[in-house]
Amino acid sequence: MGKKKSAGAVDWTAPHPPAWGAINAAGVAASTACVGYLADAPLYTGAGVGTAGALAAVAVGIRRHYSRGHKVFRAASWLAAGGWASWAMYTGPWSSWLPFTTLTAGTVLGWGAAAAYAQYEAEAPARRAEAEAQARRDAAGGEWEERLARVCGVTGCQVIAIEEWEEGAGYTVEIALPVGGTTVDMISQRAAALRADLRLPLGCGLEITTGVDHGTVLIRVSTRNSIVEEFPYPDDISPSTINDTLEIGRFKDASPVRASLRFHCGLIIGQPEGGKTNLLNVINTGLMRCRDTLVWHIDITGAGISLPWLRAWAREGTADKPAVDWTAPTAEEAELMLRVALEIIAMRKKSYQDLMYSVDDDKVPVSPEIPEIIIMADEVASLPPRITELLSDVIGTGRASAVRVVSCALRGTRDMVTPQMREMTRLRIAMRVSDDSEYQHIFSEPRGIQKDDAPVQGSGFVEIDGERPRPFKAFRIKPSRILAISQTVAAYRPTLDPVSRMNIESARYYNERWHRTLPLLFPNIRLSPAAQKIVDSAPPAPVPNQPTGPAQGNTPNSTGIDMDALFPLGKGMTPPPTPAPPSTSPPPAPQPTAEEPPPPTPVTNADREERQKFAHVLDDAMWHLTDTNTTHLPLPQPPTLGPIPATATEITDPTQRRALELIDAAGAAGLGVSALERALKAEPDHGRDRSTLHRWLPRWAAYGHVVRVDRGGTQVVYVTPRHYRG
């Protein structure tokens, strides 16, 4: 049983770094010089001591397996110290300042050299590993040059570099093509043959793209199928800006997929179970983090892209604001949203000219005060043609006004993705599909794309700003994470700028958006106190274009939210007037002609939904937002529509009063635009053209003076409330 060491005892067996060799040698040399000088010892005594120390250092180094350099340094330190000791014994160690000054300088020099050498030794394993890797790269480079000649028939290629991926899932080969017109396409056309020649595992493949110039090619080789791995959405959900890119997933080489929606529109396709909905939620997350972006949703197939983001506000009550600023669960609400968006585009272009001049740009700069609007439209193939056309108009005109669109479809075929959606988008994503041919209509360079490179749910191909499409895997985000993010981002969601609300009709419908849509999104479901207050605060606005029965007591802003205080409405605009008491004795008027349609019959909700697909759409130049059906909200009781204004003081124009009298005189049969035009022109003092009537009738329908009745197809008549039989 060995002795226990006492506290503070010196451990003579502890290893000493190389720098201690210089210190030990200097101490021994100084002692030898002083003692030898006093004892008048022979001069070779110092040299002998140094030689003995050098031999001992070598012996210890051999025993402890020091490196060759380490042993040489220690031996050199002892020999130098022995030589100094002999010199100091000859001159006298304290005869002047020179002996000990030189000893001190030599010790410091030895210390520094030893430290530098220790660092060099520490880096030796890394140098050896790099040398071995370089040797492998050189060998692999030779193999690639030979492979390109054998498989692609391209000789004279030179491998510039081979870089291993950080995640160890593959490597990238940079190759200089030979002179004489060799192109990257000549290599990419043989991608499948190269993959077979490399004997890559299933799920692994090649990405062949242009390098720094057209004479350089990059070949990304995946040796591990990282596409099958799941990548959770990153933990960082700090506030961001739409001016930055959105990180939506990982490429096969583990590099991030970064997409920009500041100026570009997006197009996404993907079959069911392909991961499209998850990708939309990932993009939603990136947009919700932006302090300068409002997100609007269009999804008339169930509002699946909106419901998870509204839960924190509308159901749980844990968020002060909804993450989604507006959602359209019906075709009517979608049409209203897009027409409001077009008005915002026009208003911003005119009103922000000075601001654009101040920043020397022809596009509106975005900020939390002037947020960008991103409209995400899911299942665009299910939208009626009139709404698809409006969506295309927003895509084509909204870039300068900071209004952009992300369109989504189940397939990439022409019947689901219009040419406008494809040609006007710079971000194109195709999730997992069943047929390679669907890539042909989506991507600008579909050659070499194979669905086998994106075989699992959540994987796909992405084309960014015209670059060659690359396979990627989208981040995975789950409902619980969406709920937590919705609560976090509520603190810094922006609000619509006042300029975008200068049109009173647009502002009115925007203010009342949640009053119309919440009962549709959460039918018979308990809402949070804040959401329920909006629903219960006031009756909805009059319903244009659809007879739902009379509406009572409406005001321009009846949602219960004091949005007018936050967003002033335009000057010179007045709210709808208060209806006057009904008239009891309508004046005589011409009866409807034989060509007029028969009296209206009761219409079911199913009939209305079918007829909405063929609803009459007014010319955009004559369109007013009040000519849009905005809701199917069930009312608690039949309200009362406003009367015809035969005695109403708010309508003073004789022709308008006469037109309303003619509609009332037609009874339940009503009058269409053509019949009303003929009747007015028959009276010299009241003749008006169709465009004028197209402006009047929708406004009167919104104010409750008339009711629009769809007779199927494009047959539309207007009746007064007291003759309405809906």
Side-chain angles (χ1 to χ4, degrees), residues 391-404:
L391 195 65
S392 297
D393 290 342
V394 174
I395 292 173
T397 62
R399 182 173 183 266
S401 299
V403 180
R404 299 283 73 195

Side-chain angles (χ1 to χ4, degrees), residues 260-618:
S260 174
L261 292 174
R262 171 62 182 93
F263 301 111
H264 300 161
C265 289
L267 174 61
I268 303 172
I269 68 164
Q271 65 183 18
E273 299 297 325
K276 177 173 63 69
T277 300
N278 176 78
L279 177 61
L280 291 178
N281 283 327
V282 170
I283 296 176
N284 271 328
T285 303
L287 295 174
M288 303 302 178
R289 292 175 53 195
C290 297
R291 306 174 67 104
D292 49 12
T293 303
L294 292 174
V295 182
W296 294 359
H297 285 170
I298 295 176
D299 185 359
I300 67 172
T301 61
I305 64 173
S306 300
L307 294 178
W309 294 98
L310 295 174
R311 185 179 183 87
W313 171 69
R315 296 287 308 280
E316 305 289 340
T318 54
D320 296 332
K321 293 181 180 180
V324 181
D325 186 64
W326 191 353
T327 184
T330 64
E332 294 77 19
E333 190 74 15
E335 183 172 1
L336 180 63
M337 176 190 290
L338 294 173
R339 292 193 181 275
V340 170
L342 289 171
E343 283 202 354
I344 290 175
I345 291 170
M347 190 67 68
R348 284 184 171 183
K349 286 181 179 179
K350 294 183 294 184
S351 302
Y352 286 129
Q353 284 296 315
D354 290 343
L355 178 61
M356 290 187 282
Y357 180 80
S358 66
V359 297
D360 197 21
D361 198 353
D362 57 357
K363 296 174 287 294
V364 175
V366 297
S367 65
E369 292 72 30
I370 309 175
E372 175 140 337
I373 299 174
I374 300 292
I375 303 175
M376 301 188 67
D378 196 14
E379 308 291 357
V380 293
S382 64
L383 298 175
R386 69 181 188 277
I387 301 180
T388 304
E389 293 177 3
L390 292 173
L391 195 65
S392 297
D393 290 342
V394 174
I395 292 173
T397 62
R399 182 173 183 266
S401 299
V403 180
R404 299 283 73 195
V405 175
V406 177
S407 308
C408 311
L410 292 176
R411 301 183 62 194
T413 54
R414 295 182 181 273
D415 59 330
M416 290 194 172
V417 177
T418 66
Q420 178 83 345
M421 292 178 184
R422 177 187 179 276
E423 295 167 3
M424 299 297 290
T425 56
R426 302 293 291 175
L427 172 64
R428 305 175 188 176
I429 300 176
M431 303 305 287
R432 186 177 62 177
V433 298
S434 301
D435 192 345
D436 289 341
S437 62
E438 297 195 23
Y439 297 132
Q440 309 299 317
H441 184 54
I442 296 299
F443 296 122
S444 55
E445 293 187 33
R447 287 179 299 176
I449 301 178
Q450 296 183 348
K451 60 184 178 61
D452 294 340
D453 289 334
V456 297
Q457 186 177 14
S459 63
F461 293 86
V462 56
E463 177 184 313
I464 301 175
D465 204 15
E467 296 181 353
R468 188 182 296 270
R470 296 181 59 186
F472 81 106
K473 181 68 174 291
F475 290 132
R476 179 72 173 106
I477 186 167
K478 298 181 179 180
S480 58
R481 186 79 190 282
I482 293 176
L483 180 64
I485 294 174
S486 300
Q487 298 168 354
T488 301
V489 302
Y492 50 82
R493 299 306 302 141
T495 52
L496 192 62
D497 55 300
V499 166
S500 298
R501 299 173 50 82
M502 291 179 64
N503 182 292
I504 190 170
E505 291 180 349
S506 297
R508 173 187 176 183
Y509 286 112
Y510 178 81
N511 289 351
E512 298 173 353
R513 63 198 186 281
W514 293 121
H515 188 95
R516 294 188 304 273
T517 57
L518 278 174
L520 300 177
L521 294 169
F522 302 100
N524 303 320
I525 296 177
R526 183 184 181 90
L527 300 177
S528 68
Q532 191 63 45
K533 181 180 179 181
I534 294 175
V535 175
D536 298 338
S537 59
V543 180
N545 296 348
Q546 178 186 338
T548 58
Q552 66 179 358
N554 292 318
T555 61
N557 184 9
S558 58
T559 63
I561 305 176
D562 190 11
M563 297 292 284
D564 295 335
L566 296 176
F567 305 103
L569 303 182
K571 294 182 179 180
M573 307 298 288
T574 57
T578 303
S583 173
T584 58
S585 57
Q591 296 299 317
T593 62
E595 69 179 67
E596 294 292 319
T601 56
V603 183
T604 65
N605 288 334
D607 294 334
R608 292 191 183 106
E609 292 176 0
E610 179 65 21
R611 293 174 184 178
Q612 286 161 10
K613 299 179 180 179
F614 308 98
H616 179 63
V617 179
L618 300 179

Side-chain angles (χ1 to χ4, degrees), residues 154-274:
V154 179
T155 59
C157 293
Q158 181 181 358
V159 174
I160 301 174
I162 298 180
E163 180 181 359
E164 300 282 344
W165 296 348
E166 292 183 1
E167 301 294 331
Y171 59 92
T172 300
V173 186
E174 184 179 12
I175 301 173
L177 299 175
V179 297
T182 304
T183 64
V184 176
D185 290 339
M186 298 174 65
I187 307 294
S188 62
Q189 291 173 358
R190 301 289 294 168
L194 288 171
R195 180 167 53 183
D197 188 74
L198 287 165
R199 297 294 191 269
L200 294 178
L202 295 178
C204 300
L206 302 174
E207 298 177 51
I208 303 175
T209 60
T210 303
V212 295
D213 54 49
H214 290 289
T216 305
V217 61
L218 295 178
I219 303 179
R220 298 182 180 91
V221 184
S222 60
T223 56
R224 189 184 77 226
N225 189 12
S226 59
I227 289 291
V228 301
E229 302 172 10
E230 183 172 289
F231 301 103
Y233 192 87
D235 296 332
D236 181 17
I237 55 171
S238 58
S240 183
T241 172
I242 194 64
N243 293 304
D244 296 335
T245 56
L246 307 178
E247 190 171 336
I248 61 175
R250 293 280 186 266
F251 290 116
K252 281 192 171 184
D253 60 0
S255 61
V257 182
R258 299 186 183 276
S260 174
L261 292 174
R262 171 62 182 93
F263 301 111
H264 300 161
C265 289
L267 174 61
I268 303 172
I269 68 164
Q271 65 183 18
E273 299 297 325

Side-chain angles (χ1 to χ4, degrees), residues 578-583 640-648 650 660 703-706 720-721:
T578 303
S583 173
T640 303
L641 287 175
I644 65 168
T647 60
E650 69 272 8
L660 287 166
Y703 292 168
H705 300 320
V706 298
T720 52

Side-chain angles (χ1 to χ4, degrees), residues 63-75:
R63 180 181 177 184
R64 294 185 178 180
H65 305 288
Y66 290 159
S67 65
R68 179 183 301 175
H70 194 165
K71 291 180 288 187
V72 169
F73 175 77
R74 285 181 173 271

